[in-house]
Amino acid sequence: MIVPEKTLKRDIIYNGRVLKYVVDTVDVNGKEAGREMVFHPGGVGVVAIDDEGFVCMVRQFRKPYEKAILEIPAGKIDPGEEPIVSAKRELTEETGYSANEFRSLGEFYPSVGYTNEIIHIFLATGLTKGESSPDEDEFVDIEKIHIDEIVSMIMSGDIKDGKTIAAIMKTQYIIERNFR
């Protein structure tokens, strides 16, 4: 049985530039409970793949894990920005690539237990190399890796980033089945 929760009170603990941390007091079937949540404006991820099956990946240091992580180009959606616009901007900023075609691969919820973040993922084809222009505090290495190798890296546990796993596996499904 699913029991809806009614918010009785919300305390904003932190309201930052990107994240808002709140604690809600909720009524669950006549009993009070607490819910800690992180609100996020949403993000995008892009699988930029060339005609030979090589994907443009980025490797960058991620402070929460204290190491460099291999992932698809991605970023935050700016206020009022459509996800497709964010995807095009992030691809170019991080890698210098632009694409003739963007296809939505859908959206997913990276961690439903504590955040409302939605990540929109896209497949980009018809790539053209240009100049990257990462944010001033963003340092990335660009690596082109064949999608088959990326899938192997996912299956062996070498790639752990959720948006990359979801986007690459959806892309591989499309390629293998010529899915439209």
Side-chain angles (χ1 to χ4, degrees), residues 54-125:
F54 285 88
V55 178
C56 187
M57 302 285 285
V58 296
R59 189 180 300 272
Q60 60 184 316
F61 186 83
R62 293 301 197 175
K63 184 65 178 159
Y65 299 100
E66 294 290 346
K67 63 182 178 181
I69 304 291
L70 184 65
E71 57 192 287
I72 59 174
K76 181 180 71 63
I77 297 172
D78 287 340
E81 190 174 48
E82 291 296 319
I84 186 65
V85 173
S86 302
K88 290 176 180 180
R89 175 178 46 77
E90 288 294 339
L91 178 62
T92 302
E93 281 179 7
E94 290 189 2
T95 70
Y97 281 91
S98 59
N100 289 335
E101 185 177 334
F102 279 80
R103 173 182 176 177
S104 174
L105 297 178
E107 59 185 42
F108 76 98
Y109 305 157
S111 191
V112 297
Y114 70 89
T115 182
N116 73 335
E117 181 180 14
I118 298 172
I119 298 179
H120 304 264
I121 50 179
F122 294 90
L123 175 60
T125 56

Side-chain angles (χ1 to χ4, degrees), residues 5 9 11 26 39 41-42 64 72 77 86 88 94 111 117 133 136 143 145 150 173:
E5 298 180 359
K9 181 178 122 181
D11 292 315
V26 298
F39 291 147
I72 59 174
I77 297 172
S86 302
K88 290 176 180 180
E94 290 189 2
S111 191
E117 181 180 14
S133 58
E136 64 182 32
E143 300 178 28
I145 305 171
I150 298 170
Y173 183 90

